[in-house]
Amino acid sequence: MSKFESLNTAAFEEIVENDGEKCLVMFSRKSCTVCQSVHAKLEALKDDYPSVPFYEVDVEEQPRLMAKQHLKGVPQTLFFADGEARSRITGDASEDDFADRIEGL
Amino acid sequence: MDEYYDLIVIGGGPAGLAAGIYGGRARLKTLVLEKGNVGGRVYDTREIVNYPSVEHSSGPDLMAKMAEHARAFGADIRQQTVRSVDFSSDDKIVNVRKATYHAKAVVLATGTSPRVLGIPGEKEFAGRGVSYCATCDAEFYQDEDVVVLGSGDQAIEESEFIAKFARSVTIVVVHDEGVLDCNKLAAEQALKNPKLRFLFNSTIAEVYGRDEVEGVKVKDVRTDEARDLPCQGVFFFCGMVPATDFLGDQVPRDPRGWLRTGDDMDLGVGGVFAAGDVRQKYLRQVATAVGDGAAAATAAERYIAEMEQFRADVLESDEPVLLGFWDPGLPGSMEALGELRARNRRLEKPLRFLEFDVNLKRGIASKYGIALNEQNKAQVVRENGRQG
């Protein structure tokens, strides 16, 4: 399984918050099985949305980013535009659910 | 994009993978669709110790082997979510995001998902202190206070896992003092575990907090009195519901959404079968799911063979054919069929008359909507064959 570009705190602030680009950020960790399912789905969707980059935050490496978003538990997929989380999917969902949120940005 | 299969299995847990193995081995062109991880809920299970001949395995390891086995027999396994289905004709249609699949027969092995109670705060705080998966989230509650609702096997097992991280685990149980839904051995262990605290005769009425969970309102079910119980996390393990919503009215479901079949897994709509946890059944385990999958794929194989034979004999016949349906178990049915047959013989040009036992030829009987009973002991249908 390939990975999405991973973000640390500095990169998150620069890309997501300051640049304000439309993007998807998946909060996950290696040992979580549901994260693998969500990752596989996003992977299949990625090519359909070349203008919306997909990023990943490893919450074990970046616990502060998680706390900042008031997140507890993984996987959580956040959809950002203009530096703000516009919506969030907790846990697993269908490809359509993820696609709808991306298109809603 | 349209693709054609003999058999489509919806759901890639043990029931679906077993159906994939049996379907592939019967040389049916078989597709298994799984919306999450291949292995289904078993993939989220840390430990399996009761699947015969596998003394000890993790859920993902056991399921990887099962998937590999299905692939070795030629089954195609894809991680795609089914949007909708149409089972109204012989051509069964299964829609996913980017494709329309067609099949001669379908096995529904969609399993279950955790019950969402719908109490205030539950949805709002999902991922912010409300969780349904201890394997995923327990470690985020290091040295915090956690509340668990439920007392089944999963609730108790997961509570013990959460207790490895959390400062305290309070289990809210709706039953009387000392009564747990889980197996006896687990109950004895749990009641002795010093890190687990039990609140009996209670349920959770609300989850509250600001940005994250700060507590729950625990209600005494005898007095309806509610009180605040501060905590940082709450896990809901209050049973499973069948994952059948996407089926709409395409197959009969019982009032709670479960699929009911006999031991041939046949749903009675012609070419659609059910297997595994999604069925109304006595025991939901890997060991019982694989049996269902095997039976469902075998029934599907027979249905496909029956329909192919029928196509050649009847639908592509040059002459019209009469189909006589009867039920050997229904008193008077044989005589009624004999009468229908005699009536045909008395015609100037009798037609070819084929008999169908509705118990053995269920697919064909349901194709023609045949329902035999006291008032209708046998029934004849004219099929015009090639002449349309």
Side-chain angles (χ1 to χ4, degrees), chain B residues 28-49:
Chain B
L28 298 176
K29 188 181 177 199
T30 302
L31 173 64
V32 179
L33 296 171
E34 166 56 48
K35 72 177 171 64
N37 289 309
V38 174
R41 295 183 48 76
V42 182
Y43 195 88
D44 300 329
T45 306
R46 281 183 296 278
E47 198 175 50
I48 308 264
V49 294

Side-chain angles (χ1 to χ4, degrees), chain A residues 29 31-38 40-41 44-45 48-49 59-60 66-67 69-76 88 90 92-96 99 103, chain B residues 35-37 43-44 60 79-83 96-98 123-130 133-141 144 211-212 232-233:
Chain A
R29 65 195 182 105
S31 56
C32 146
T33 55
V34 183
C35 298
Q36 294 163 19
S37 165
V38 171
K41 257 171 231 182
L45 281 175
D48 292 351
Y49 300 98
V59 300
E60 274 160 328
M66 195 187 190
Q69 297 293 330
H70 300 294
L71 303 181
K72 279 216 159 178
V74 286
Q76 306 218 41
R88 176 170 65 96
T90 299
D92 208 345
S94 75
E95 297 100 293
D96 287 333
E103 285 164 22
Chain B
K35 72 177 171 64
N37 289 309
Y43 195 88
D44 300 329
Q79 275 179 280
Q80 294 172 349
T81 308
V82 173
R83 276 179 167 174
V96 299
R97 197 170 81 89
K98 281 186 159 180
K123 208 174 165 190
E124 188 189 343
F125 291 109
R128 295 188 157 167
V130 170
C133 173
T135 320
C136 309
D137 299 340
E139 288 165 52
F140 296 112
Y141 298 95
E144 295 187 333
D211 294 320
E212 295 169 21
Q232 289 75 50

Side-chain angles (χ1 to χ4, degrees), chain B residues 84-387:
Chain B
S84 61
V85 295
D86 183 351
F87 298 151
S88 58
S89 75
D90 289 347
D91 176 27
K92 313 292 171 203
I93 295 168
V94 176
N95 294 303
V96 299
R97 197 170 81 89
K98 281 186 159 180
T100 296
Y101 297 123
H102 301 257
K104 294 171 184 165
V106 172
V107 172
L108 301 171
T110 51
T112 59
S113 51
R115 171 176 286 125
V116 174
L117 289 183
I119 59 172
E122 185 185 11
K123 208 174 165 190
E124 188 189 343
F125 291 109
R128 295 188 157 167
V130 170
S131 180
Y132 301 87
C133 173
T135 320
C136 309
D137 299 340
E139 288 165 52
F140 296 112
Y141 298 95
Q142 190 76 44
D143 301 322
E144 295 187 333
D145 299 312
V146 171
V147 172
V148 170
L149 181 64
S151 70
D153 284 319
Q154 191 198 11
I156 297 305
E157 198 178 300
E158 302 292 50
S159 294
E160 286 179 331
F161 182 69
I162 298 164
K164 290 180 181 167
F165 306 96
R167 177 172 54 206
S168 77
V169 176
T170 304
I171 304 176
V172 177
V173 184
V174 74
H175 306 301
D176 280 336
E177 188 77 31
V179 179
L180 302 178
D181 287 327
C182 65
N183 71 72
K184 219 173 153 188
L185 190 69
E188 281 169 14
Q189 266 181 17
L191 291 166
K192 277 189 279 186
N193 186 332
K195 284 195 84 175
L196 304 181
R197 189 165 77 100
F198 290 88
L199 286 180
F200 289 99
N201 294 301
S202 300
T203 188
I204 295 177
E206 188 184 333
V207 182
Y208 63 84
R210 279 166 64 174
D211 294 320
E212 295 169 21
V213 169
E214 290 168 14
V216 293
K217 286 196 189 303
V218 174
K219 192 175 81 175
D220 186 312
V221 294
R222 296 165 300 188
T223 60
D224 261 3
E225 257 173 67
R227 63 185 179 88
D228 290 355
L229 177 61
C231 64
Q232 289 75 50
V234 50
F235 286 74
F236 289 97
F237 298 115
C238 26
M240 308 302 292
V241 292
T244 54
D245 283 350
F246 75 103
L247 294 169
D249 56 4
Q250 293 290 313
V251 294
R253 296 186 281 162
D254 83 359
R256 295 163 124 186
W258 301 99
L259 304 182
R260 284 177 186 272
T261 76
D263 61 6
D264 60 357
M265 309 296 141
D266 195 331
L267 283 162
V269 295
V272 185
F273 305 87
D277 285 5
V278 73
R279 286 178 60 229
Q280 174 62 260
K281 66 190 287 194
Y282 176 66
L283 178 67
R284 296 191 171 88
Q285 290 278 297
V286 179
T288 61
V290 297
D292 281 9
T298 303
E301 179 200 352
R302 285 185 191 163
Y303 165 85
I304 291 168
E306 179 184 311
M307 294 307 281
E308 271 163 16
Q309 180 77 40
F310 184 76
R311 188 163 297 120
D313 279 358
V314 176
L315 300 181
E316 291 171 7
S317 161
D318 291 326
E319 302 283 327
V321 185
L322 293 180
L323 316 176
F325 293 94
W326 73 296
D327 179 355
L330 180 65
S333 180
M334 193 173 74
E335 292 74 10
L337 182 78
E339 175 54 35
L340 292 169
R341 186 186 271 284
R343 212 179 290 167
N344 176 47
R345 269 199 304 269
R346 289 196 293 268
L347 294 175
E348 198 177 321
K349 277 190 181 169
L351 297 175
R352 189 153 63 99
F353 192 101
L354 297 176
E355 283 178 18
F356 294 92
D357 174 342
V358 295
N359 301 297
L360 297 176
K361 306 287 182 187
R362 289 187 193 183
I364 291 160
S366 63
K367 177 178 164 65
Y368 289 96
I370 305 293
L372 300 182
N373 51 43
E374 284 301 315
Q375 279 70 47
N376 184 31
K377 292 179 176 168
Q379 195 175 334
V380 70
V381 175
R382 182 187 163 113
E383 182 55 74
N384 286 328
R386 279 184 198 278
Q387 296 170 11

Side-chain angles (χ1 to χ4, degrees), chain A residues 32-63:
Chain A
C32 146
T33 55
V34 183
C35 298
Q36 294 163 19
S37 165
V38 171
H39 195 288
K41 257 171 231 182
L42 294 178
E43 185 97 18
L45 281 175
K46 199 171 187 291
D47 292 342
D48 292 351
Y49 300 98
S51 64
V52 180
F54 288 19
Y55 300 109
E56 197 156 5
V57 171
D58 184 320
V59 300
E60 274 160 328
E61 290 165 14
Q62 310 293 337

